[in-house]
Amino acid sequence: KETASASSERRLETQKTPERLDTAKKVESKKTTTRKTKVESKAIHTRTSTIYYVTVDPTMGEMTLAGIKKTVKYIDSPITRTIQLLLKGPGEAERKRGLKTFIPQGTKLISASLKNNHLTLNFNENFENNYLGREAIEIQLKQILLTCFEFDEVKTVSILINGEKKKYITGEGILLKHYYTRSDLNAL
């Protein structure tokens, strides 16, 4: 059974008086300001990274990797931001120069972690949607790996798809190694 005093307190809590609204607004305003301050305190850094795209010789059909220097803006991780720019593909000016990507459209980087010079990249399922043949898939892997190995601290790279280590990717059955080193680039 509720006492009269408890009943009065409950009514006061639920009653919206101007004083209570003003206090609530001040608290809400203070929280918003605090959040903004935290975001503003993170510094934006820049780095020049080399991102690898592809040129295709129209007469011979030969594919060549081309390293393009880009300014990368990042807050925490230059590697993550560089890979995200690679996945975005070449810009309009680069496409006019004949640069392409063989990384399937819609490929997203779910996560990236660097530990003891080993970089683990976790992509969504679109990473496997390259149906342009074996050579295009190998170029896709080279684009990713060459871009990663531009960072001196990266000695090995593993590729996951939706958090899983796969043995093969795509319908072509391209072997996806447990991890790649710089010397593996020649074997691709």
Side-chain angles (χ1 to χ4, degrees), residues 54-57 60-65 102 132 134-136 139:
V54 183
T55 60
V56 180
D57 181 325
M60 303 295 285
E62 188 176 301
M63 294 181 270
T64 307
L65 286 155
F102 282 104
L132 299 174
R134 184 174 198 84
E135 188 177 8
I139 294 285

Side-chain angles (χ1 to χ4, degrees), residues 69-85:
K69 299 244 183 245
K70 285 194 172 195
T71 300
V72 177
K73 293 180 181 180
Y74 64 95
I75 294 174
D76 296 322
S77 174
I79 296 173
T80 299
R81 188 68 187 119
T82 299
I83 297 300
Q84 288 169 337
L85 281 175

Side-chain angles (χ1 to χ4, degrees), residues 169-186:
I169 60 169
T170 73
E172 293 288 323
I174 302 290
L175 179 67
L176 192 59
K177 293 180 72 167
H178 182 67
Y179 65 88
Y180 292 90
T181 64
R182 283 178 171 83
S183 61
D184 291 321
L185 292 170
N186 298 328

Side-chain angles (χ1 to χ4, degrees), residues 101-119:
T101 184
F102 282 104
I103 299 169
Q105 192 171 11
T107 298
K108 301 278 187 233
L109 181 65
I110 296 170
S111 64
S113 67
L114 180 66
K115 185 176 182 180
N116 299 325
N117 301 103
H118 179 80
L119 177 62

